[in-house]
Structure formats: C-alpha cells, structure tokens
Amino acid sequence: MDRNIRTVDDVLALLDGLFAPEADRWSQRGAGWWDAFYADRSRPVPFFVAKPDENLVRLVESGPAGGRRALDLGCGPGRNALYLAARGFEVDAVDLSSTAVAWARDRARETGVKGVRFHCGDAFALAGTDLTGPYDLVYDSGCFHHLPPHRRVSYLAMLERLLAPGGLFGLTCFAAGDGGMGSELSDADFYREGAGLRGGLAYTPEALREIFSGLTEVELRRMRDELEESECFGEPFLWAASFRRGENP
C-alpha cells in the first residue's frame, strides 16, 4: 500500500505516471525518443534548418529583448541559441537529447560562434543548478507544447525562478484550429485516456493569455510563413508569443 504523497513534486510525479511511459516527451525518460528523432540530420524536418525563428529575430532586432543573458529551452540543434550568441548574448541552451546537443555543438564549431553553454538534461531539474538566472530573455521554440497539463505548474515555477524582473519570455507553440498541429483534447481528457499527448498540445490565444496571466503580453500572433530562401524560420501553424515580467516594486 502506497501512501507517499507529501509534496507538490510527489503529486506531479504521480501524474507523470498516468501517461504511457513510451509517450513521455518531457522528462528524462523521453530522451531516447528525441535522440532517435535527431539521429538523421538529413531528414526533411522544417526546424532542422540552421535559421532562427522569425519572431525571435523580431524580438532581438526591434528592441523588446534587452539585456545580455538568454536561456534557450529545448534548443534542439541550436539554431536559436547560436543566433542569440552571434548577437552578443551569453546563452545557456538545454535539451533532453544528447544527439541534438551534439549537433548543436558541431554547428557552433563550424560557424565559429562562441558564448553558448550547452546542457543536456531536464530543464526543470537543472533550474537553479546548471541553469542559473536571472535571464533577460527566456526563449522556447516548441518545448512548451510537449508538456502535459500538470507540468505547466513546473514551467511557470521555472519562469518565476529564472526570468529577470523586466525580462522577456518568448514562445512558439502549436496553434489550435485551422487544421494545425497538436491535440485539442481538453486537459482532463488527457488524464482520462492516459495514452499520451498525441504529438503535443494545441493552444488558443485565450489559453495562452490565461496561463501566462502573471506576465504582460507583448505580442501574440500567428508565426509568419517564411520562404525557403528566407534567413529566418517560420510556420503559420505555430503561435508566436512574447510576454514581459514586471519590474520589482
């Protein structure tokens, strides 16, 4: 007989276990799946390109993203982290997949970009140890929508811990509606069915505003569809969102 729930972390771990282990894409258990995903660098995956997100470029080059320290959550092959470092940011970049991180390090060597510390592991576990804030910019391109609903609690706590007062949080995630990617099941249905996240969660603008209501909205729109010859990456089935944390009183 198990009676071992004492803390919020215990509850979160219990809820993690309600999903099929092979469907885990958010904890260290999911690292192997992502390693296989990134193993073939020649696959025609849109975001394998060595280009930064168009909305990240907008945040940096139009002025909203100030400061010099940045955190790239779910960095994959490093395209956004390397862009930030080339623009003078001191960057911590983290991903579950050692294969993705190795690719990112190779890209850094090939391009000669310095100023990125790559970390392989669970960002929730590394927050406050390897990932030490405050960061002026926290950027997430496709990590958030792979979290189950209960892990938003962990995510918001991580932002609270790592994002500097006045800092900017940038996000791309699956957009609900119009035949886009991501599941539109209700939060409760994921736990009733217990099979997995079906490739990720889609969000409405209203849901994102509610989830990040502790921050001030800067921008929330569809990501621009960037042409192949563009210097930036963009897909219209994603939201491009940014929020700012208030200054300390």
Side-chain angles (χ1 to χ4, degrees), residues 2-247:
D2 292 330
R3 295 287 186 268
N4 53 8
I5 302 299
R6 296 178 50 253
T7 68
V8 171
D9 285 341
D10 291 337
V11 174
L12 295 174
L14 173 67
L15 292 172
D16 283 344
L18 296 182
F19 293 87
E22 62 272 17
D24 185 344
R25 303 287 183 271
W26 67 92
S27 77
Q28 201 63 49
R29 294 188 309 180
W33 189 93
W34 288 111
D35 284 341
F37 181 84
Y38 286 110
D40 182 359
R41 299 183 183 185
S42 66
R43 289 176 62 205
V45 176
F47 56 86
F48 278 10
V49 296
K51 302 177 181 181
D53 287 344
E54 59 87 2
N55 53 307
L56 176 61
V57 173
R58 175 184 172 91
L59 290 175
V60 171
E61 299 190 2
S62 66
R68 292 293 90 190
R69 297 198 70 215
L71 171 62
D72 184 7
L73 295 169
C75 66
R79 57 194 182 83
N80 289 310
L82 295 179
Y83 165 79
L84 288 168
R87 295 306 184 277
F89 282 84
E90 176 189 343
V91 184
D92 281 313
V94 60
D95 201 283
L96 283 173
S97 169
S98 59
T99 302
V101 170
W103 188 0
R105 287 183 172 133
D106 287 345
R107 280 181 168 174
R109 282 191 293 270
E110 290 164 3
T111 59
V113 173
K114 302 184 184 300
V116 184
R117 291 183 296 270
F118 290 105
H119 309 270
C120 183
D122 180 344
F124 298 144
L126 296 177
T129 55
D130 292 47
L131 308 178
T132 56
Y135 294 101
D136 306 295
L137 172 64
V138 174
Y139 190 71
D140 176 341
S141 184
C143 178
F144 176 73
H145 58 218
H146 288 296
L147 298 178
H150 64 277
R151 281 297 173 181
R152 293 182 207 131
V153 175
S154 306
Y155 195 93
L156 291 170
M158 180 175 62
L159 285 181
E160 176 69 23
R161 184 173 192 175
L162 297 180
L163 185 61
L168 197 68
F169 166 59
L171 173 72
T172 66
C173 69
F174 291 149
D178 301 327
M181 297 182 66
S183 174
E184 297 188 25
L185 282 178
S186 71
D187 283 355
D189 284 339
F190 286 113
Y191 299 95
R192 293 189 183 103
E193 298 187 8
L197 300 182
R198 305 188 180 196
L201 280 64
Y203 287 88
T204 64
E206 294 76 19
L208 292 176
R209 290 183 176 116
E210 177 64 24
I211 291 165
F212 299 109
S213 59
L215 304 174
T216 300
E217 181 182 332
V218 176
E219 180 178 59
L220 179 50
R221 59 171 172 84
R222 289 275 182 173
M223 202 178 198
R224 289 199 306 267
D225 190 6
E226 295 288 335
L227 299 176
E228 185 176 349
E229 59 268 25
S230 171
E231 295 182 354
C232 301
F233 169 82
E235 291 283 355
F237 60 79
L238 298 168
W239 292 124
S242 57
F243 300 86
R244 190 176 296 283
R245 183 175 181 181
E247 303 280 355

